[in-house]
Each structure stands twice: as C-alpha cells, then as structure tokens.
Amino acid sequence: MRLKLFAIAAAAVALAGPAAGQAYDPNYPVCMHVYEGRQGGNYINCSFTSIPQCQATASGRSAICSENPFFAPPPPKRRAYRGRHHAR
C-alpha cells in the first residue's frame, strides 16, 4: 500500500512540471507590481527604465511602481591608460 501511495505521489510531482519562479530582471531599474485579484493573479514586470514610464503603464490598473532591488547598472567604462612618453 505504501509503495502504491509513493508511486502516485511521485507521478503527481513528475506531471506537475517545473514551477515558474518570479524573477526581477536586473537589467531594468523599475518594476511594476500588478495585483489582478483572485482569478488574475499577481505578478511583477521589471521592464521599465523610469518611474514615470512605469506609472504611465500602471495607470488605471491595480498596480504600483517601485525601484528594482536587484538592478545591476552596467559597470563604468574603463579609461585607457596613457603612460608618459619619455624623450631620449
């Protein structure tokens, strides 16, 4: 009996598939948190470059905009080193 229950549980887990995780996109500094209620679900959309851009998209919806806590700005460009030329 235990073996049968284990087989059923294992099959249920295998058929469920991978869970879709909510991820913050580190390439964009602003995220919109959308609250769709019980049927629609909640999700986060991190594809905005500014708060006003996000607010324009969120207008009229049950959503708020906030800074992305995982935003990773690109590293500053390195300046080329130019050493002194010594005259001989």
Side-chain angles (χ1 to χ4, degrees):
M1 182 67 179
R2 287 185 195 182
L3 185 58
K4 200 178 240 185
L5 288 174
F6 177 75
I8 292 171
V13 170
L15 292 175
Q22 181 67 55
Y24 287 85
D25 188 345
N27 297 315
Y28 294 95
V30 180
C31 296
M32 177 175 63
H33 302 256
V34 181
Y35 307 97
E36 298 279 333
R38 290 183 182 168
Q39 280 105 10
N42 302 329
Y43 64 92
I44 299 171
N45 177 2
C46 295
S47 61
F48 301 98
T49 56
S50 67
I51 293 285
Q53 178 192 29
C54 177
Q55 288 173 335
T57 304
S59 179
R61 301 170 75 179
S62 179
I64 60 169
C65 298
S66 63
E67 292 182 7
N68 184 350
F70 299 102
F71 174 61
K77 292 188 179 193
R78 299 181 78 187
R79 292 179 55 194
Y81 175 74
R82 296 182 185 200
R84 290 185 174 177
H85 295 281
H86 297 285
R88 294 189 179 193

